[in-house]
Structures are given as C-alpha cells and as structure tokens.
C-alpha cells in the first residue's frame, strides 16, 4: 500500500495564489517579481494590450470604464483576493478598462507571455483565470445597478467601506476629487455627503484622509451593494 502524501497549498499574501498547490503555482512565481505600486499608477489603459499580470498583496486597484470625453467611472475593484489581467493567460488580450492603483500595495507581477505558458500547462490556473473573470463581471453588474438606482450618500458609504476593507484600516487615503471621479458625481456632492457624515460623528475628514469613527453606523447607511460586493469578491477556489 502506497503512502498518500498531502500536497501543501502555497503560502502567499494573495488569496488566489495561496489557494493553489505549491507545485502548480511554482512556474508562475519562478518568473515573477514583487513590485511596489503607488496610488495613481495606471497599469494599462482601455484599448491597450495587457502585457503583465498583477496579483495584489493588499491595497486596491480600480477598473474604470473610460468615455470618449475622458471621464471615467469605476466598475470593479481588485485587492489581495484577486488578480488583474488574468485573461491575458488565455491569449493576447486587449483591456476594455483602465486599471489604476488607488491604494498603495505590493503585488506579484509576471509577464503575460510567461503567464500564458503556465496557464497552458495547468488546468487549475486556466480555471482560475476564467472563474475570476466571472467575479469581475458580477462586480460590474452590481456596480452598474448601484450607480443607476442608489443615491450618492449610500454609494459614498459603500465605496468608503470597500476602501477601508482593502486598506485593512479605519483610516483611508482618499481625496474628495478621487471619490467624485470613482462615483461619477460632482465634487460638491461628495463634499455635502462627507460633511454631513462628519457632523454626525460617523467619519472624520482631514486633507487627503478619511477616518471611519463609527463603522456600524456607516454600514447602516451604505446601500445593499456593499454586502453583495463582499459576496462577489470571495476568493476563487481552484478544484
């Protein structure tokens, strides 16, 4: 009778990588590098070929639809539970969104060509690419409905909670200009909402920083989409 040896899962800050067995993900990590990404860095623009794949260790990357007039609105966010550019593993891939870093992070970066080689050799990694793309599509659907149906104050609270979760902190580096762009509303609308929340003791706003003082109250004010997006963002498990 042969002895069954348990295969270890890989220990990694990114939840997708850590969901894979070490021998499966080894070809990806062998040709990867850990990079530091600061807020404002655009990983690729809409219409550009995806040349690198990023597995965040934390922080947040926004995926934005960009209009012809240059205006953009966020459709999904990616943190340590996900990956950006994974569909490049299935072939040459042109992005339909702008991928922009919103919160500082480290990330595992691999060239798309190398990632394609790893995907071709592993059904598990191929499944990861397809399954996480479905997660992003689900996020986009929820966000589209949220933008169309929910008032700006509820959306503001939802986005602030999402950002705090990604930052793993009650204090988040966010400007009102950034919030207005992500939510697709006027800056004055964000100023009005943040001012009311500050007067009510829910948040404290300083230059470039928002601190959550009463998370329970903030969750009560956020729209239902916050919980829906938490559900959508659960890490993909590879069978």
């Amino acid at each position: 009778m042969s002895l069954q040896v348990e295969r270890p899962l890989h220990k990694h800050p990114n939840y997708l990588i850590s969901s894979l067995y070490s021998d499966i993900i080894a070809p990806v990590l062998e040709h990867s590098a850990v990079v530091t990404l600061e807020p404002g860095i655009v990983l690729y623009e809409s219409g550009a070929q995806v040349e690198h794949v990023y597995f965040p260790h934390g922080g947040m990357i926004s995926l934005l639809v960009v209009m012809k007039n240059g205006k953009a609105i966020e459709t999904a966010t990616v943190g340590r539970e996900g990956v950006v550019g994974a569909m490049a593993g299935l072939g040459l891939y042109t992005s339909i969104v702008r991928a922009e870093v919103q919160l500082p992070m480290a990330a595992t970066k691999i060239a798309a060509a190398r990632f394609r080689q790893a995907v071709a050799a592993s059904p598990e990694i191929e499944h990861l690419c397809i399954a996480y793309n479905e997660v992003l599509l689900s996020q986009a659907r929820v966000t589209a409905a949220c933008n169309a149906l929910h008032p700006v104050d509820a959306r503001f609270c939802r986005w602030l909670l999402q950002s705090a979760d990604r930052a793993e902190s009650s204090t988040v580096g966010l400007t009102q200009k950034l919030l207005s762009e992500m939510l697709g509303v006027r800056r004055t609308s964000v100023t009005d909402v943040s001012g009311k929340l500050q007067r009510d003791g829910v948040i404290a706003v300083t230059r470039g920083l928002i601190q959550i003082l009463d998370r329970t109250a903030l969750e009560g004010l956020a729209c239902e989409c916050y919980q829906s997006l938490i559900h959508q963002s659960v890490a993909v498990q590879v069978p």
Side-chain angles (χ1 to χ4, degrees):
M1 183 176 70
S2 61
L3 179 66
Q4 295 294 321
V5 179
E6 184 178 354
R7 298 166 71 195
L9 293 171
H10 194 87
K11 295 181 179 179
H12 195 276
N14 179 273
Y15 295 160
L16 287 183
I17 290 178
S18 68
S19 73
L20 293 165
Y21 291 115
S22 293
D23 58 329
I24 291 174
I25 196 62
V28 174
L29 299 182
E30 181 182 358
H31 299 288
S32 69
V34 176
V35 295
T36 300
L37 302 173
E38 297 298 328
I41 291 177
V42 175
L43 302 180
Y44 36 78
E45 286 284 2
S46 174
Q49 184 173 310
V50 175
E51 296 182 349
H52 292 91
V53 180
Y54 297 85
F55 291 87
H57 298 184
M60 182 170 74
I61 297 170
S62 290
L63 304 183
L64 303 109
V65 172
V66 183
M67 300 290 104
K68 289 183 178 180
N69 63 4
K71 291 185 177 182
I73 189 167
E74 184 181 84
T75 60
T77 61
V78 182
R80 69 167 72 236
E81 83 295 333
V83 56
V84 173
M87 291 303 285
L90 303 181
L92 295 177
Y93 182 67
T94 299
S95 178
I96 59 174
V97 296
R98 173 191 293 159
E100 182 175 341
V101 179
Q102 298 297 357
L103 298 176
M105 68 172 68
T108 295
K109 174 184 176 181
I110 181 171
R114 288 286 190 182
F115 190 62
R116 280 193 287 274
Q117 293 174 4
V119 170
S122 170
E124 293 87 353
I125 300 178
E126 180 182 27
H127 168 83
L128 178 150
C129 296
I130 297 170
Y132 193 71
N133 191 57
E134 286 298 314
V135 169
L136 293 179
L137 288 174
S138 295
Q139 273 201 59
R141 294 184 186 110
V142 171
T143 302
C146 183
N147 290 339
L149 300 175
H150 293 149
V152 64
D153 53 346
R155 291 162 53 204
F156 177 101
C157 295
R158 182 262 297 171
W159 205 88
L160 182 54
L161 286 166
Q162 283 182 267
S163 300
D165 291 346
R166 304 291 196 195
E168 299 180 345
S169 172
S170 60
T171 301
V172 186
L174 295 171
T175 64
Q176 293 187 357
K177 180 177 182 294
L178 172 62
L179 278 164
S180 66
E181 291 174 348
M182 294 302 101
L183 296 173
V185 298
R186 295 178 179 177
R187 187 171 176 177
T188 52
S189 298
V190 171
T191 301
D192 291 344
V193 173
S194 61
K196 184 178 186 305
L197 291 172
Q198 183 163 232
R199 289 191 298 273
D200 291 343
V202 180
I203 63 174
V205 182
T206 56
R207 188 173 181 82
L209 292 174
I210 300 178
Q211 182 183 7
I212 298 173
L213 301 177
D214 189 339
R215 185 179 174 99
T216 300
L218 192 66
E219 289 182 359
L221 293 167
C223 59
E224 65 195 74
C225 300
Y226 173 60
Q227 293 298 330
S228 297
L229 289 168
I230 287 178
H231 177 73
Q232 298 295 345
S233 297
V234 173
V236 175
Q237 296 296 317
V238 178

